[in-house]
Amino acid sequence: MTNKEIFDSNSIPFRLIEQQETADNLVIILPGAGYTTQAPLLHFTTSLFYTKGFDVLHINYSFSKQELSYLSEKDFTIKIQRTIGKAIENKKYKNIFVVAKSIGTIALSYLLHNKMLKDAKTIWLTPLLQRDDVFKAMVTSENKGLCIIGDKDSCFIAERFEKLKNNRQLTFHLVEGGNHSLELDGLPIESVEILKGVLMEISNFEI
């Protein structure tokens, strides 16, 4: 395993975890604002993809509450797009997945217009369904996708979730009692079981 971690004041920090041999598969992980790639779900998602032969690209942005309130979707996405390009320049991948958590689903909504991700498979973890741009992107997406969200997540909107089911490119997993971290409030042991179930759903999704 080779591990490249880059910090550049002009771009978003990233970490590329590469297979020992040249890989044809890549997964790009877009974390939440406060839910980093080291948080349980994304940590184990990284391990899952890596053991299945994928290079793993972490896009490690971080924002304060003030920065979040002024965040421009366009600028955010352009920075991520540039970072991805920088991270994998001179590489050619035949199979690309994008895993986006929470705020990462904003970027994913716009990144899908990028030629490089035309055939990418998508995993929407706790998507921000209250946002029209995220909801519209999911409704109209032609990319194979998996959506996982909890019914106790503040971003869960039952009406919109039902409408998403009209898109046959998407598969759904609703976590009963799951919050925005896909955990059960006050139930740590039971939350581990939830995590296991979510990872199984990801593992079974065309990887």
Side-chain angles (χ1 to χ4, degrees):
M1 178 177 74
T2 57
N3 199 328
K4 297 178 183 176
E5 194 157 8
I6 306 295
F7 296 91
D8 180 341
S9 60
N10 295 316
S11 64
I12 297 171
F14 67 85
R15 180 186 182 204
L16 180 61
I17 306 168
E18 299 175 278
Q19 299 286 329
Q20 294 287 357
E21 304 293 333
T22 302
D24 289 329
N25 307 311
L26 173 72
V27 60
I28 301 165
I29 297 185
L30 307 175
Y35 198 94
T36 72
T37 54
Q38 301 307 307
L41 178 56
L42 298 184
H43 168 75
F44 286 110
T45 296
T46 295
S47 298
L48 179 64
F49 274 92
Y50 188 79
T51 58
K52 288 179 178 283
F54 283 70
D55 285 353
V56 182
L57 176 59
H58 289 170
I59 307 297
N60 293 318
Y61 44 73
S62 60
F63 300 100
S64 66
K65 285 186 178 180
Q66 185 176 11
E67 287 171 327
L68 277 174
S69 65
Y70 293 105
L71 185 64
S72 158
E73 304 88 354
K74 184 178 179 181
D75 291 343
F76 179 43
T77 305
I78 288 173
K79 281 189 175 183
I80 290 176
Q81 196 166 298
R82 285 176 179 166
T83 302
I84 293 170
K86 181 177 180 179
I88 63 172
E89 61 183 343
N90 303 321
K91 291 180 176 291
K92 292 184 178 179
Y93 293 102
K94 295 179 181 177
N95 186 30
I96 299 178
F97 276 72
V98 184
V99 176
K101 170 81 171 77
S102 188
I103 194 176
T105 64
I106 298 175
L108 179 54
S109 300
Y110 294 90
L111 286 171
L112 290 179
H113 299 296
N114 187 309
K115 281 184 180 180
M116 182 185 71
L117 300 178
K118 178 178 176 290
D119 298 316
K121 296 182 179 70
T122 57
I123 298 178
W124 306 77
L125 300 176
T126 65
L128 306 186
L129 296 183
Q130 75 275 22
R131 290 184 59 104
D132 291 339
D133 50 0
V134 173
F135 176 64
K136 182 179 178 181
M138 295 182 73
V139 165
T140 60
S141 177
E142 296 180 359
N143 299 67
K144 287 276 188 182
L146 170 65
C147 170
I148 303 178
I149 192 169
D151 63 3
K152 299 302 181 185
D153 186 340
S154 59
C155 299
F156 176 71
I157 301 172
E159 182 182 356
R160 287 195 162 189
F161 185 75
E162 289 303 313
K163 285 183 179 178
L164 287 178
K165 292 180 181 178
N166 292 325
N167 185 344
R168 295 186 179 180
Q169 293 294 91
L170 299 178
T171 302
F172 301 90
H173 179 61
L174 183 62
V175 178
E176 187 175 347
N179 60 23
H180 195 56
S181 296
L182 290 175
E183 298 175 4
L184 304 178
D185 290 331
L187 298 170
I189 294 175
E190 291 84 349
S191 293
V192 173
E193 289 300 314
I194 293 293
L195 174 59
K196 181 179 176 182
V198 169
L199 290 169
M200 287 296 295
E201 290 288 336
I202 294 173
S203 180
N204 292 333
F205 176 65
E206 301 199 11
I207 299 179

